[in-house]
């Protein structure tokens, strides 16, 4: 098989193409002919050795669309997706007419957005929800799912005018600039003078620090990443308690490792919502397999919108 291999840790440019032996399926595993692979921030973190440090050399990539030996077209998690073949467990069959990029958008990003809204933030109908990095892979789906699951007002924060225009096209009631300076004031202005009930944040750093000041009493701030590249400073417990604010976190990987945790039910929900047109998974860019380094660099430098994929065949 053809694969993109990392012989050493580092930035995306450590990835090089190579011909490798086909993987041999173990118990419960299926060998897929890969159609497309999804890219995630976690892929870059693994390359740096900061996330589930790999044994070198390794092939990154956590999700694929492909066909199994029985010819079924499926969507699945994997550990080595940047290749023409990949081993998977528990694949989910998907429609022939569902584009690979749309399907991949619903796996890591879709499940994360679903659980942010339903499980972590537990949005109550009528609440105001703010989604930071709202044009990104998780953010663009969180905007739509918040609306689908009853939010009264949805505000998307994004870094450029083009991204903010996209956020409005996806159904947000308002779109604001995402930087930390003036963050709470912009939310008040976009929400008729009121503060928000829920903020979903994947940026971190100063934006995360500004978020509590944009929350109404008993508001919830949920962090699920630090795409801004700066770890948040510690929050003052006094700021939280004096306004009865809750801060939580969400990580899909840890969730799926819990005993009894299953991805199938919410994934089928997401597939049904996409099929009915209630949500629209956005594919921002497709790259050929041998341009994995270029694709991953574009993703981590926040030059992309929606889902980014590698087209394998």
């Amino acid at each position: 098989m053809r694969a993109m291999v990392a012989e050493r840790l580092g930035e995306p440019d450590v990835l090089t193409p190579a011909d490798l032996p086909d993987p041999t399926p173990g118990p419960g595993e299926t060998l897929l002919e890969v159609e497309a692979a999804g890219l995630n921030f976690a892929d870059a973190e693994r390359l740096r050795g900061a996330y589930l440090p790999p044994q070198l050399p390794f092939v990154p990539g956590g999700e694929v669309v492909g066909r199994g030996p029985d010819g079924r077209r499926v969507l699945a998690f994997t550990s080595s997706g940047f290749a023409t073949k990949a081993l998977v467990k528990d694949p989910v069959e998907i429609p022939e007419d569902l584009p690979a990029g749309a399907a991949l958008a619903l796996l890591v990003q879709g499940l994360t957005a679903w659980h942010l809204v339903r499980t972590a933030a537990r949005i109550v109908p009528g609440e105001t929800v703010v989604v930071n990095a709202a044009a990104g892979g998780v953010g663009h789906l969180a905007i739509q799912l918040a609306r689908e699951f009853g939010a009264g007002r949805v505000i998307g924060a994004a870094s450029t005018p083009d991204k903010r225009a996209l956020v409005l096209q996806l159904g947000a009631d308002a779109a604001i600039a995402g930087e930390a300076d003036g963050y709470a004031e912009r939310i008040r202005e976009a929400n008729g003078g009121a503060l928000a009930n829920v903020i979903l944040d994947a940026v971190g750093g100063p934006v995360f620090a500004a978020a509590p000041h944009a929350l109404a009493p008993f508001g919830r701030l949920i962090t699920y990443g630090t795409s801004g590249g700066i770890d948040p400073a510690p929050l003052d417990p006094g700021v939280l308690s004096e306004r009865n604010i809750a801060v939580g976190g969400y990580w899909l990987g840890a969730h799926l490792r819990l005993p009894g945790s299953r991805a199938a039910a919410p994934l089928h929900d997401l597939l049904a919502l996409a099929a009915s047109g209630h949500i629209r998974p956005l594919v921002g860019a497709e790259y050929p397999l041998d341009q994995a380094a270029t694709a991953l660099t574009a993703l981590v430098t926040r030059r992309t919108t929606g889902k980014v994929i590698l087209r394998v065949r």
Side-chain angles (χ1 to χ4, degrees):
M1 70 176 189
R2 192 70 168 166
M4 298 301 296
V5 180
E7 299 280 353
R8 58 187 174 86
L9 297 179
E11 297 304 313
D13 60 5
V14 303
L15 289 171
T16 57
D19 292 314
L20 301 177
D22 289 353
T24 301
E29 292 183 322
T30 300
L31 182 62
L32 295 189
E33 296 279 350
V34 176
E35 176 185 340
L39 281 80
N40 297 291
F41 278 93
D43 298 318
E45 293 298 295
R46 287 197 74 202
L47 282 173
R48 297 187 187 109
Y51 170 76
L52 301 177
Q55 182 177 348
L56 296 171
F58 83 106
V59 177
E63 54 186 358
V64 291
V65 166
R67 292 190 187 275
D70 59 3
R72 292 189 307 144
R73 186 169 182 256
V74 298
L75 173 66
F77 292 109
T78 185
S79 60
S80 303
F82 292 3
T84 56
K85 297 182 181 181
L87 292 174
V88 304
K89 288 185 176 181
D90 303 318
V92 173
E93 189 168 5
I94 59 173
E96 290 290 337
D97 61 353
L98 180 65
L104 287 164
L106 297 177
L107 196 53
V108 172
Q109 278 88 8
L111 287 172
T112 297
W114 194 97
H115 281 295
L116 282 170
V117 172
R118 302 283 278 184
T119 308
R122 300 174 188 173
I123 290 173
V124 175
E127 289 189 315
T128 294
V129 178
V130 177
V131 180
N132 294 338
V138 173
H140 88 281
L141 291 167
I143 286 283
Q144 299 175 73
L145 289 170
R147 170 70 71 211
E148 180 69 22
F149 295 142
R153 189 165 180 81
V154 181
I155 299 168
S159 59
T160 69
D162 286 347
K163 288 182 177 181
R164 292 193 286 275
L166 173 61
V167 167
L168 293 174
Q169 292 171 20
L170 291 169
D173 297 290
I176 63 171
E179 63 264 19
D181 290 344
Y183 180 82
E185 290 76 10
R186 290 192 299 277
I187 287 176
R188 277 188 183 274
E189 183 178 357
N191 197 35
L195 294 170
N197 304 108
V198 172
I199 296 175
L200 307 178
D201 178 61
V203 180
V207 174
F208 179 83
H213 304 283
L215 283 169
F218 296 99
R220 286 94 71 205
L221 167 60
I222 308 297
T223 175
Y224 64 100
T226 54
S227 64
I230 303 173
D231 290 333
L235 287 177
D236 179 357
V239 172
L240 306 181
S241 59
E242 71 185 10
R243 301 174 61 198
N244 296 305
I245 290 170
V247 178
Y250 185 76
W251 177 25
L252 179 66
H255 187 176
L256 294 181
R257 286 196 293 272
L258 293 175
S261 177
R262 294 291 182 269
L267 182 56
H268 284 299
D269 188 20
L270 289 163
L271 287 166
L273 288 169
S276 65
H278 284 246
I279 62 172
R280 178 165 63 95
L282 173 67
V283 181
E286 296 187 6
Y287 294 80
L289 178 62
D290 62 3
Q291 291 184 21
T294 300
L296 199 52
T297 299
L299 177 68
V300 299
T301 54
R302 302 178 70 188
R303 290 186 279 116
T304 63
T305 57
K307 184 65 178 177
V308 181
I309 72 168
L310 299 177
R311 176 65 63 176
V312 178
R313 52 171 60 85

